[in-house]
C-alpha cells in the first residue's frame, strides 16, 4: 500500500520539480525504506539515466531479471537493455530510443525483456529531468512486470483473430488483412485476388450426420485448403461453410482458374469421419483488385457475386467476376420472389418427352419436365429455375406437385405408359419423402410400377442410414428408380450395387460426339451397356439428336432412346392427342450426323489496328484463335488487338484471310472462364488507365475505354503490347469494313 502511495506521488508530480513541501530527514529515511520494500516486492522498480541515456540507477529486482547486478549495468545504454519487439515492428508507434532522444514524458510503454530462454514484458514510464538552467539532465522513471496480463491479452486477441474450430483466420482478421493489403497495394500498383469459397451440400451432411461430424469435416476441409494453397496466401473461414482466400500479386486468370480447380477437386474427394464417409463439393468465386474493385468492400462484393453465380451455375465450379453478373444476381433474386407463388398462379406446367424403344420406334414411356411460363420472361427452362427452387427449398412443394400432376395426367392416357419424374436431392434427403410418394400413389391410383423416380448421383453424396432407409421404403412402395445423368457426377459404379436401381440414363454428353472416333465415348457406352446387362438393368440414352448417333446406340445394344431425334418434351394435350391410337410410333428425324467440338457463336467484338477500332462479328472461338468477319483485304500476318470487352484485350495475328473472313491466332492463348466459356489471362490494368488520366476505378463493362491521352503504357499485366493510340475518327475506318 505504502509503496503504491509513494509511487503515485512520484508519478503524479513531474519529478523535475521538487515535491511540494520539503521532507524532514526522518520522513526521507522512511520513504527510502518504503521504496526498498516496494522494490523487493517485485511490484515495481525504478530507473534513471544521465543526459546521454546511460543507466545511473536500476532497482536490483530489475537487474536480476536481466541476469546482471545493478553495478554491472551502470553506464549501459538504457534502451539497449530491452529486446526488439517484432510484434510491434509494423505499427506506427515510435520506438523507445526515439522517445528518449526527444526528452518526452512517457507512460506504461511495453518493452520486452529477454534473458536466457525466458521472455517477459515490462511497462515502463519515464520523466525527463532538467537542471536549474533548464538543461536536460537525464530520465527518472519506474517500471512494472506486465507479462501475465500481456499474455492473456495476446491470447484474447488471438482468439479474436482466429477461428477456434479450424485454426484459420476468422472473418475479422481476414477483413483487416485484406483491407491492409489492398490499401498498400494500391500505392505500389500491385494486384490482389480474392477467392470466396462455399461448400456444396455441407448443410445436408450437417443435418443428416450431425454437428460433430460437420465440425470434423470443416477441420479436414481447412487442412486440405492448406495443402492446395501456397503459404503466401491467407486462408480464412468467414463462418459456417464459407471460406476466403487472399492471393497477393496474382492477376493471371489462367493461374487462378488452375488454383480454383485444384481446390475444388481436393475438397470433392471423399472424407472419412469416424465411421461415416461423405462427399461434398465446393464452388468458388474470384475477383481481382483493382480490376474488379478498388476498395476492399468492392472486391469482396465482386467475389461474392462470382461465388453466387458459380453456385447457381451447377456447383462444383468456379467463376470469375464480370460486370454482367450484377444483373444476373438481381434477376435471380427477382425469379426466386416470383417462383414463390408461381404454382398458385398456375404458371407451372409439365411437358412430357417420349422415351422410345430403339428396336421399333414405339413410345414406351414419358419423362415429365417442368415448365414455367413467366408473365414477363415467357417460358423458362428448368435449368434456370430448378437451382433457385433448390436453394430456397421451394423445390419441396414444386417437386411434390410435379409428381402428383404427372401421375394424374398419365393415368388419363390410354395404355399403360410409364412416367418418369425428376426428384431433386433436396426432396430425396427429406425424411418425409417416401410418405409423399405413397400419398401420390394413393390419390392418383396409378400402378406403382408405372412411376419411375429419376435420381442423380448427388443423392449419394452423403451416405447415411436415412439414405438406405429411403431406398428401402421406396422399393417397398413398388416404384421404379432410375439413375439420371449417369457419368456426369461422381460416377462411382459402387452406387449401382448399393442402391436398387432399375434403369440407368446415359447422359447426353456421352452421346453427342460418340460417333467421333477421337473420343472414347463409344467405348464408355459399351462398358455401361455390358455392366447394366450384367446387373439386369435397363439403359436409356438421353439427348440423341442425330441419325448416326441412333445407329451407333442401336449397335451398342442400348434399349431405349430419348432425344430431339424423336421428339422434344411436349405439352400434355399433344401427348394425349398422339396417344389416342393407343400405340405411338415416332419416325426418327434429324441431321445425319452432328458436328462436335467447336462452338459457333456470333458476337460483336472490337478489333483495334493502329489508330482505329473496327466492329467485327466473331464466328467461332477457341483457346488459340478466332474467326472474324467484317473486314476486307487484310494481309496475312497483320496484328490486331481484339477487344472482348471489360478490359480483355488479346493480340491476334491474321493467319488466314479470305474475302471478309479472317482466321486469327492469339499470341497468348485464352483460358477457361469457369462458365464454359473463355477469357483472357490478363486484362488492361486500371492502374495503367489511371496513369493515362482516367479516374482509378474497377474495369467498366463494354469496350476498352480508349482515352485521348492513352499514348502508351502497359497492356494489362502480362500482355506486352502498347496501347493503341486513339484516332478521333474511328468510324471512318468503317469504309474498309465489309
Ligand atoms: P434432365 O433430367 O436430364 O432432363 C432432360 C433434359 O434434356 C430436358 O431439358 C430435355 O428437354 C433435354 N433434352 C431432351 N432431348 C434432348 C436432345 O436431344 N438434345 C438436347 N440438347 N437436350 C435434350 P429440360 O426440360 O430443360 O430440363 C433440364 C433439367 O431440369 C432436367 O434435366 C432436370 O434435371 C431438371 N428438371 C426438369 N424438370 C424437373 C422437375 O420436375 N424436378 C426436378 N427436380 N428437376 C427437373
Ligand atoms: Ca431426368
Ligand atoms: Ca438426364
Amino acid at each position: 500500500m505504502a509503496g503504491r502511495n509513494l509511487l503515485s506521488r512520484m508519478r503524479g508530480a513531474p519529478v523535475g520539480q521538487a515535491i511540494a513541501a520539503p521532507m524532514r530527514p526522518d520522513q526521507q529515511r522512511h520513504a527510502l525504506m518504503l521504496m526498498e520494500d516496494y522494490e523487493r516486492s517485485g511490484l515495481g522498480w525504478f530507473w534513471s539515466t544521465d543526459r546521454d541515456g546511460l543507466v545511473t540507477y536500476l532497482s536490483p529486482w530489475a537487474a536480476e531479471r536481466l541476469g546482471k547486478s545493478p553495478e554491472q549495468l551502470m553506464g549501459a545504454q538504457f534502451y539497449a537493455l530491452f529486446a526488439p519487439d517484432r510484434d510491434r515492428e509494423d505499427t506506427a508507434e515510435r520506438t523507445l530510443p526515439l522517445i528518449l532522444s526527444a526528452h518526452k514524458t512517457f507512460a506504461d510503454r511495453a518493452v520486452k525483456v529477454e534473458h536466457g530462454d525466458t521472455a517477459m514484458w515490462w511497462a515502463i514510464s519515464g520523466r525527463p529531468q532538467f537542471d536549474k538552467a533548464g538543461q536536460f539532465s537525464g530520465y527518472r522513471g519506474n517500471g512494472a512486470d506486465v507479462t501475465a496480463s500481456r499474455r492473456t491479452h495476446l491470447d484474447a486477441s488471438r482468439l479474436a483473430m482466429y477461428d477456434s474450430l479450424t485454426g484459420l483466420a476468422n472473418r475479422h482478421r481476414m477483413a483487416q488483412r485484406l483491407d491492409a493489403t489492398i490499401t498498400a497495394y494500391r500505392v505500389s500498383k500491385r494486384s490482389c485476388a480474392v477467392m470466396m469459397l462455399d461448400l456444396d451440400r455441407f448443410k445436408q451432411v450437417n443435418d443428416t450426420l450431425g454437428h460433430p461430424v460437420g465440425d470434423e469435416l470443416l477441420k479436414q476441409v481447412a487442412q486440405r485448403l492448406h495443402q492446395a494453397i501456397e503459404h503466401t496466401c491467407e486462408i480464412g473461414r468467414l463462418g459456417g461453410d464459407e471460406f476466403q482466400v487472399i492471393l497477393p500479386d496474382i492477376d493471371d486468370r489462367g493461374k487462378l482458374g488452375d488454383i480454383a480447380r485444384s481446390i475444388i477437386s481436393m475438397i470433392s474427394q471423399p472424407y472419412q469421419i469416424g465411421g461415416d464417409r461423405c462427399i461434398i463439393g465446393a464452388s468458388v468465386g474470384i475477383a481481382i483488385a483493382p480490376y474488379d474493385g478498388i476498395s476492399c468492400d468492392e472486391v469482396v462484393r465482386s467475389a461474392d457475386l462470382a461465388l453466387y453465380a458459380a453456385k447457381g451455375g451447377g456447383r462444383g465450379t468456379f467463376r470469375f467476376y464480370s460486370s454482367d453478373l450484377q444483373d444476373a444476381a438481381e434477376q435471380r433474386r427477382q425469379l426466386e420472389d416470383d417462383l414463390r407463388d408461381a404454382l398458385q398462379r398456375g404458371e407451372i406446367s409439365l411437358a412430357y418427352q417420349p422415351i422410345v424403344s430403339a428396336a421399333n420406334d414405339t413410345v414406351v414411356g414419358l419423362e415429365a419436365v417442368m415448365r414455367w411460363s413467366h408473365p414477363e420472361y415467357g417460358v423458362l427452362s428448368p435449368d434456370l429455375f430448378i437451382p433457385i427452387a433448390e436453394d430456397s427449398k421451394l423445390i419441396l412443394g414444386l417437386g411434390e406437385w410435379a409428381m402428383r400432376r404427372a401421375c394424374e395426367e398419365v393415368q388419363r392416357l390410354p395404355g399403360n405408359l410409364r412416367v418418369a419424374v425428376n426428384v431433386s436431392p433436396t426432396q430425396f434427403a427429406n425424411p418425409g419423402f417416401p410418405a409423399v410418394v405413397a400419398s401420390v400413389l394413393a390419390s392418383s391410383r396409378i400402378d406403382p410400377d408405372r412411376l419411375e423416380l429419376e435420381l442423380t448421383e448427388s443423392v449419394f453424396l452423403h451416405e447415411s442410414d436415412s439414405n438406405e432407409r429411403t431406398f428401402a421404403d421406396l422399393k417397398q412402395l413398388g416404384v421404379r428408380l432410375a439413375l439420371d445423368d449417369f457419368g456426369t457426377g461422381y460416377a462411382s459404379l459402387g452406387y449401382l450395387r448399393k442402391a436398387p436401381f432399375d434403369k440407368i440414363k446415359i447422359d447426353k454428353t456421352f452421346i453427342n460426339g460418340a460417333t467421333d472416333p477421337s473420343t472414347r465415348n463409344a467405348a464408355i457406352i459399351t462398358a455401361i451397356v455390358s455392366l447394366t446387362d450384367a446387373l439386369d438393368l435397363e439403359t436409356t440414352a438421353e439427348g440423341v439428336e442425330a441419325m448416326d448417333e441412333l445407329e451407333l446406340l442401336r449397335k451398342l445394344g442400348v434399349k431405349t432412346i430419348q432425344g430431339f431425334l424423336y421428339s422434344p418434351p411436349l405439352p400434355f394435350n399433344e401427348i394425349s392427342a398422339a396417344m389416342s391410337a393407343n400405340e405411338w410410333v415416332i419416325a426418327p428425324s434429324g441431321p445425319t450426323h452432328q458436328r462436335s467440338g467447336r462452338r459457333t457463336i456470333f458476337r460483336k467484338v472490337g478489333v483495334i489496328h493502329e489508330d482505329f477500332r473496327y466492329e467485327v462479328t466473331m464466328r467461332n472461338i477457341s483457346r488459340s484463335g478466332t474467326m472474324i468477319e467484317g473486314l476486307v483485304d487484310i494481309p496475312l500476318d497483320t496484328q490486331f488487338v481484339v477487344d472482348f470487352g471489360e478490359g480483355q484485350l488479346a493480340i491476334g495475328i491474321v493467319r488466314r484471310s479470305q474475302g471478309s473472313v479472317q482466321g486469327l491466332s492469339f499470341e497468348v492463348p485464352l483460358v477457361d472462364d469457369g462458365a464454359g466459356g473463355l477469357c483472357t489471362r490478363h486484362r488492361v490494368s486500371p492502374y495503367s488507365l489511371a496513369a493515362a488520366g482516367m479516374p482509378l476505378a474497377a474495369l467498366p463493362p463494354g469496350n476498352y475505354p480508349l482515352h485521348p491521352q492513352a499514348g502508351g503504357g502497359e497492356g494489362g499485366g502480362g500482355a506486352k503490347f502498347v496501347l493503341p493510340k486513339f484516332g478521333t475518327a474511328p468510324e471512318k475506318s468503317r469504309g474498309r469494313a465489309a
Side-chain angles (χ1 to χ4, degrees):
M1 277 303 132
R4 222 167 268 160
N5 272 334
L6 178 72
L7 195 67
S8 60
R9 272 174 77 185
M10 286 187 67
R11 268 190 187 162
V15 180
Q17 297 151 230
I19 295 172
M23 280 196 262
R24 296 193 312 271
D26 62 316
Q27 280 178 316
Q28 278 182 11
R29 252 196 328 279
H30 195 65
L32 203 63
M33 263 165 55
L34 287 173
M35 197 182 97
E36 279 169 3
D37 257 8
Y38 178 75
E39 280 189 318
R40 265 198 298 275
S41 74
L43 284 172
W45 49 272
F46 303 104
W47 61 280
S48 67
T49 65
D50 63 12
R51 63 169 53 86
D52 299 320
L54 306 179
V55 175
T56 51
Y57 180 81
L58 190 68
S59 296
W61 183 92
E64 201 180 302
R65 299 302 174 289
L66 291 165
K68 301 261 165 57
S69 67
E71 292 70 36
Q72 284 174 301
L73 289 170
M74 286 309 118
Q77 194 52 256
F78 178 65
Y79 68 73
L81 302 181
F82 312 112
D85 178 6
R86 283 186 196 82
D87 295 359
R88 209 183 263 273
E89 250 168 18
D90 49 2
T91 72
E93 233 179 301
R94 306 170 94 188
T95 59
L96 188 59
L98 220 72
I99 295 171
L100 294 173
S101 64
H103 307 163
K104 290 254 166 57
T105 299
F106 61 94
D108 293 330
R109 163 100 207 179
V111 292
K112 192 177 185 182
V113 182
E114 277 173 347
H115 173 55
D117 302 336
T118 57
M120 54 194 309
W121 288 91
W122 290 345
I124 54 172
S125 303
R127 296 154 295 276
Q129 307 296 309
F130 299 92
D131 59 21
K132 290 209 180 72
Q135 292 291 309
F136 172 72
S137 61
Y139 263 99
R140 279 191 211 161
N142 57 280
D145 180 16
V146 292
T147 309
S149 74
R150 185 164 171 110
R151 244 183 224 134
T152 34
H153 174 74
L154 273 181
D155 284 352
S157 63
R158 210 192 135 70
L159 269 184
M161 290 301 224
Y162 291 89
D163 166 36
S164 55
L165 180 67
T166 60
L168 297 177
N170 66 13
R171 179 183 284 277
H172 182 68
R173 180 177 163 87
M174 288 306 277
Q176 249 180 21
R177 283 295 301 245
L178 189 62
D179 200 35
T181 308
I182 286 187
T183 310
Y185 276 27
R186 193 156 52 215
V187 177
S188 47
K189 300 194 174 20
R190 289 155 73 181
S191 48
C192 178
V194 178
M195 282 188 188
M196 299 291 294
L197 196 145
D198 191 288
L199 304 182
D200 300 335
R201 290 172 302 271
F202 172 74
K203 204 180 149 345
Q204 269 129 294
V205 173
N206 217 22
D207 291 351
T208 50
L209 300 181
H211 290 249
V213 173
D215 282 357
E216 182 54 36
L217 182 61
L218 289 172
K219 280 194 219 167
Q220 293 193 19
V221 167
Q223 284 161 10
R224 291 187 191 186
L225 283 175
H226 271 302
Q227 287 164 21
I229 296 164
E230 277 181 44
H231 66 269
T232 48
C233 304
E234 176 112 26
I235 311 170
R237 174 173 168 239
L238 303 187
D241 59 349
E242 227 187 31
F243 297 82
Q244 187 184 56
V245 188
I246 303 174
L247 305 105
D249 292 312
I250 309 187
D251 62 1
D252 177 340
R253 290 193 287 182
K255 198 165 158 191
L256 287 166
D258 289 344
I259 297 174
R261 248 189 302 270
S262 87
I263 291 176
I264 292 168
S265 97
M266 277 177 99
I267 289 184
S268 308
Q269 306 296 315
Y271 296 79
Q272 193 69 46
I273 295 167
D276 291 305
R277 206 175 106 98
C278 52
I279 304 177
I280 53 167
S283 304
V284 174
I286 308 167
I288 312 165
Y291 306 86
D292 306 317
I294 302 295
S295 70
C296 180
D297 281 354
E298 207 183 349
V299 183
V300 168
R301 213 175 321 120
S302 296
D304 259 336
L305 262 181
L307 171 64
Y308 197 59
K311 284 194 94 78
R315 286 141 203 261
T317 58
F318 66 90
R319 196 63 67 87
F320 292 114
Y321 170 79
S322 104
S323 56
D324 43 78
L325 293 182
Q326 211 99 27
D327 307 333
E330 182 46 46
Q331 196 186 40
R332 199 183 148 102
R333 258 190 304 278
Q334 175 75 51
L335 282 181
E336 185 182 322
D337 253 17
D338 296 347
L339 193 55
R340 269 173 215 290
D341 31 36
L343 205 51
Q344 287 93 294
R345 284 201 305 256
E347 293 165 8
I348 308 283
S349 64
L350 291 179
Y352 297 89
Q353 184 172 35
I355 300 169
V356 180
S357 155
N360 56 20
D361 298 338
T362 317
V363 176
V364 294
L366 301 168
E367 175 179 354
V369 283
M370 234 183 262
R371 295 289 176 262
W372 178 11
S373 115
H374 189 280
E376 201 177 324
Y377 306 121
V379 178
L380 297 181
S381 155
D383 282 331
L384 192 76
F385 67 84
I386 295 288
I388 298 177
E390 290 226 27
D391 279 355
S392 55
K393 295 274 180 194
L394 290 169
I395 192 66
L396 294 178
L398 286 168
E400 177 172 350
W401 174 87
M403 195 187 308
R404 205 173 289 277
R405 169 60 66 95
C407 290
E408 284 163 6
E409 289 188 326
V410 168
Q411 184 71 323
R412 296 214 299 269
L413 295 173
N416 46 12
L417 284 189
R418 288 205 168 113
V419 65
V421 178
N422 293 287
V423 174
S424 91
T426 313
Q427 282 174 278
F428 189 82
N430 176 15
F433 181 65
V436 169
V437 178
S439 133
V440 168
L441 290 174
S443 68
S444 67
R445 319 184 111 182
I446 196 170
D447 177 358
D449 182 55
R450 290 177 64 196
L451 174 61
E452 190 163 77
L453 305 180
E454 295 197 357
L455 308 170
T456 56
E457 286 156 322
S458 51
V459 302
F460 297 101
L461 292 179
H462 48 94
E463 297 168 26
S464 64
D465 296 348
S466 80
N467 218 334
E468 269 169 48
R469 210 172 322 118
T470 304
F471 275 121
D473 289 351
L474 293 175
K475 274 287 104 177
Q476 188 73 34
L477 290 171
V479 295
R480 285 166 53 97
L481 301 175
L483 184 54
D484 202 358
D485 302 344
F486 186 76
T488 56
Y490 300 83
S492 155
L493 295 173
Y495 298 151
L496 296 178
R497 268 186 289 111
K498 276 195 212 146
F501 284 107
D502 303 284
K503 178 193 257 191
I504 285 180
K505 301 187 77 173
I506 308 173
D507 192 71
K508 52 178 166 279
T509 50
F510 287 103
I511 310 300
N512 305 146
T515 52
D516 180 348
S518 72
T519 72
R520 294 178 31 85
N521 288 4
I524 293 169
I525 296 171
T526 309
I528 297 175
V529 171
S530 56
L531 177 85
T532 50
D533 280 352
L535 293 171
D536 207 16
L537 306 178
E538 248 180 64
T539 23
T540 298
E542 291 187 287
V544 182
E545 295 180 357
M547 293 304 281
D548 64 342
E549 289 169 1
L550 175 62
E551 230 163 87
L552 178 73
L553 293 166
R554 280 180 171 151
K555 209 171 76 196
L556 297 181
V558 175
K559 298 288 177 341
T560 48
I561 308 282
Q562 199 180 338
F564 295 164
L565 190 69
Y566 284 102
S567 168
L570 299 170
F572 181 70
N573 57 0
E574 286 181 41
I575 296 282
S576 176
M579 279 303 291
S580 58
N582 218 344
E583 202 185 53
W584 183 12
V585 179
I586 306 176
S589 82
T592 46
H593 59 264
Q594 199 177 44
R595 284 207 310 157
S596 64
R598 191 192 312 129
R599 270 188 311 148
T600 33
I601 44 162
F602 289 93
R603 202 189 119 192
K604 292 258 180 246
V605 288
V607 158
I608 302 164
H609 182 244
E610 289 173 354
D611 286 354
F612 304 118
R613 178 204 289 282
Y614 311 89
E615 285 267 296
V616 299
T617 304
M618 190 161 66
R619 301 181 70 186
N620 67 36
I621 187 165
S622 71
R623 276 165 206 281
S624 56
T626 179
M627 185 99 86
I628 56 167
E629 182 167 11
L631 303 176
V632 284
D633 300 334
I634 305 297
L636 293 185
D637 298 327
T638 305
Q639 279 207 6
F640 284 116
V641 174
V642 183
D643 180 357
F644 294 103
E646 297 201 298
Q648 304 186 84
L649 303 184
I651 295 187
I653 300 145
V654 178
R655 300 295 186 202
R656 276 182 303 153
S657 183
Q658 201 168 48
S660 64
V661 178
Q662 279 80 42
L664 308 187
S665 71
F666 297 130
E667 193 185 61
V668 179
L670 302 182
V671 296
D672 274 345
D673 71 352
L678 298 166
C679 62
T680 58
R681 249 175 207 282
H682 298 281
R683 288 174 284 171
V684 176
S685 167
Y687 294 135
S688 351
L689 295 177
M694 304 185 59
L696 182 62
L699 289 170
N703 282 334
Y704 170 63
L706 287 173
H707 189 270
Q709 279 135 43
E714 152 215 30
K720 284 186 300 299
F721 53 83
V722 169
L723 292 183
K725 283 202 196 81
F726 182 67
T728 42
E731 295 305 315
K732 87 167 193 225
S733 56
R734 278 288 168 75
R736 265 162 75 191

